Amino acid sequence: MYRPPHFKEDRLPVLHQAMTAIGLANVVTVAADGTPHASPLPLLLQADEGPYGTLYGHFAKANPQWRDTAAGSPALAIFMGPDAYITPSWYATKAETEKVVPTWNYATIHARGPITFFQDADALLDSGHPTDPRP
């Protein structure tokens, strides 16, 4: 993802807050045969685990992504925040120079790290991941 330097956000608490608020991320991995996989998963952030926090989620047993991805291989979680079209007519310079283009403003966070899989119920409970998110 291209990110202009003036839009860069590196403050971990700000990123963690946004990830928690968004909740749903596309988790991207690559299988041993090179096939890319992507699944939208609700993810729970444990901010105090590891240097940048740890994300927990749940793949359905029927989803081949968890079987086709080697444990420890790189994964990418893409959190998409709000987005909107920005018309050139909103720029004051349009009337002056006519040298403007439309754009799309968006907020997105790319979280990277090795992926781990487990099926142990105790490990799931220890992760803090809700097995039933309803109150």
Side-chain angles (χ1 to χ4, degrees):
M1 171 180 75
Y2 169 69
R3 177 184 54 206
H6 56 280
F7 289 126
K8 186 176 183 179
E9 177 59 70
D10 285 329
R11 294 172 294 172
L12 203 52
V14 173
L15 296 171
H16 281 176
Q17 181 182 17
M19 291 162 68
T20 299
I22 295 166
L24 185 73
N26 282 300
V27 177
V28 181
T29 59
V30 177
D33 68 0
T35 303
H37 289 281
S39 295
L41 296 178
L43 297 176
L44 176 71
L45 171 66
Q46 293 292 349
D48 58 348
E49 287 185 26
Y52 302 105
T54 299
L55 294 168
Y56 288 92
H58 171 76
F59 284 99
K61 277 198 173 202
N63 185 335
Q65 185 171 0
W66 71 271
R67 286 188 306 276
D68 294 349
T69 303
S73 63
L76 171 66
I78 305 170
F79 293 85
M80 293 296 298
D83 66 277
Y85 172 75
I86 307 300
T87 176
S89 65
W90 292 351
Y91 296 106
T93 55
K94 181 176 193 268
E96 299 165 7
T97 67
E98 291 291 323
K99 294 182 180 178
V100 295
V101 294
T103 190
W104 203 277
N105 279 3
Y106 60 91
T108 186
I109 299 167
H110 287 191
R112 295 173 180 85
I115 195 162
T116 303
F117 303 100
F118 58 87
Q119 297 183 53
D120 177 23
D122 290 333
L124 178 63
L125 292 172
D126 289 343
S127 75
H129 194 281
T131 54
D132 185 350
R134 297 170 294 183

